[in-house]
Amino acid sequence: MQTKLIPALDLIDGEVVRLFKGDYHQKKVYKNDPQILLKEYEKAGAKELHLVDLSGAKDPSKRQLALIEKLSRCVSVDLQVGGGIRSKEEVKALLDSGVKRVVIGSLAIKNPELCLELLKEFGNEAIVLALDVVLKEDYKVVINAWQEESDKKLMEVLEFYAEKKLKHILCTDISKDGTMQGPNVRLYQLIYDIFPHINVQASGGVSSLEDLKRLSGICSGVIVGKALLEGIFNVQEGIKCLQNA
């Protein structure tokens, strides 16, 4: 499996930001134009890009749809978007705006019937399930912008959706997100060992090229946000690292 680097931007009211462990009160704003950044990432060789609409995640009425459409039209590579998607109408609006894949989070746990309907209607290439986890005795899925721990175990959820032809997931260990402390490689190896046919995007904690090497071959993609914004490494270096791992 060739693992891709997927540069990511989190957006609040049009601004590029990073949160620490998903906390809106621990926010760092970057004075970068998101359109310029995405074009730079594409020019550097990225084949996929990832956006999180944090305004829409907090309040669906503030979904940054016009901005997302503008950003999707400014690049020719695949763009996937997430952030509190709650309805079929939102999925359709995003896909119509030029987005390649829509990331579904809490809905996968709270309304599996609707989630299966989305997979069937839009196809398993267009839907990515975001399964964010916290390790207790087992990996438990957290929902509602990481504010609530569900009663669902990650492996049980994956087993359920795998039988329904799920193809793409985005998995985040929330204890790692925004921390620059390295990814939870053990978690991604576990998923790969049990569900090798599911494409797993790793997210959270990537802070070095060495982290990318450790994820190569067990994930379809690695989502990197803060490390790129902070200049720890650039897109070209990340892509080369994964190609040579």
Side-chain angles (χ1 to χ4, degrees):
M1 180 194 302
Q2 180 61 57
T3 304
K4 295 179 183 176
L5 183 80
I6 307 176
L9 296 181
D10 293 354
L11 301 172
I12 293 180
D13 300 333
E15 290 186 314
V16 177
V17 304
R18 284 300 296 168
L19 305 183
F20 183 78
K21 295 185 180 180
D23 186 351
Y24 281 77
H25 298 294
Q26 298 189 65
K27 176 181 74 173
K28 180 174 181 179
V29 177
Y30 294 85
K31 297 301 182 185
N32 300 84
D33 183 318
Q35 183 171 331
I36 292 172
L37 268 180
L38 291 185
K39 284 182 173 180
E40 287 177 353
Y41 290 161
E42 178 183 32
K43 189 176 180 181
K47 301 301 182 189
E48 294 184 29
L49 300 166
H50 179 76
L51 286 180
V52 182
D53 178 2
L54 290 173
S55 296
K58 203 168 188 180
D59 181 352
S61 69
K62 294 183 178 177
R63 176 78 55 211
Q64 301 171 88
L65 193 59
L67 174 61
I68 290 167
E69 181 164 8
K70 176 185 174 185
L71 294 176
S72 73
R73 305 299 183 197
C74 84
V75 293
S76 57
V77 295
D78 293 343
L79 183 68
Q80 71 177 24
V81 175
I85 313 298
R86 295 166 175 83
S87 69
K88 185 189 292 189
E89 290 71 28
E90 285 183 285
V91 174
K92 187 176 186 308
L94 285 167
L95 292 173
D96 287 347
S97 76
V99 170
K100 171 75 171 181
R101 293 194 186 104
V102 177
V103 181
I104 304 294
S106 301
L107 208 61
I109 304 301
K110 295 163 74 174
N111 194 341
E113 293 82 7
L114 176 56
C115 209
L116 292 178
E117 195 178 320
L118 295 174
L119 280 166
K120 187 175 180 181
E121 180 163 337
F122 299 109
N124 62 2
E125 274 295 347
I127 303 295
V128 182
L129 292 196
L131 299 172
D132 305 323
V133 299
V134 60
L135 180 59
K136 296 295 178 72
E137 298 81 22
D138 206 329
Y139 285 107
K140 301 292 281 290
V141 179
V142 293
I143 56 175
N144 295 337
W146 301 353
Q147 302 307 304
E148 183 184 339
E149 184 182 318
S150 76
D151 61 354
K152 301 294 184 184
K153 295 178 181 178
L154 174 64
M155 294 304 160
E156 292 174 346
V157 176
L158 284 174
E159 190 171 349
F160 172 79
Y161 282 107
E163 293 174 353
K164 308 298 191 294
K165 297 185 170 58
L166 172 69
K167 189 169 181 181
H168 298 279
I169 71 164
L170 191 170
C171 190
T172 305
D173 177 345
I174 66 170
S175 72
K176 300 287 188 179
D177 188 70
T179 65
M180 302 285 286
Q181 293 175 356
N184 187 340
V185 179
R186 183 180 295 180
L187 167 63
Y188 301 114
Q189 184 68 60
L190 181 66
I191 297 171
Y192 178 73
D193 289 344
I194 300 173
F195 301 99
H197 58 289
I198 293 179
N199 293 331
V200 181
Q201 298 174 15
S203 173
V206 172
S207 60
S208 68
L209 293 174
E210 192 59 38
D211 288 339
L212 294 181
K213 289 179 187 176
R214 293 163 67 212
L215 293 167
S216 179
I218 60 172
C219 297
S220 64
V222 183
I223 291 178
V224 182
K226 191 172 183 178
L228 296 176
L229 291 169
E230 297 283 347
I232 307 299
F233 59 85
N234 62 38
V235 170
Q236 285 176 315
E237 290 169 335
I239 291 171
K240 186 177 180 181
C241 173
L242 287 169
Q243 287 173 340
N244 296 333

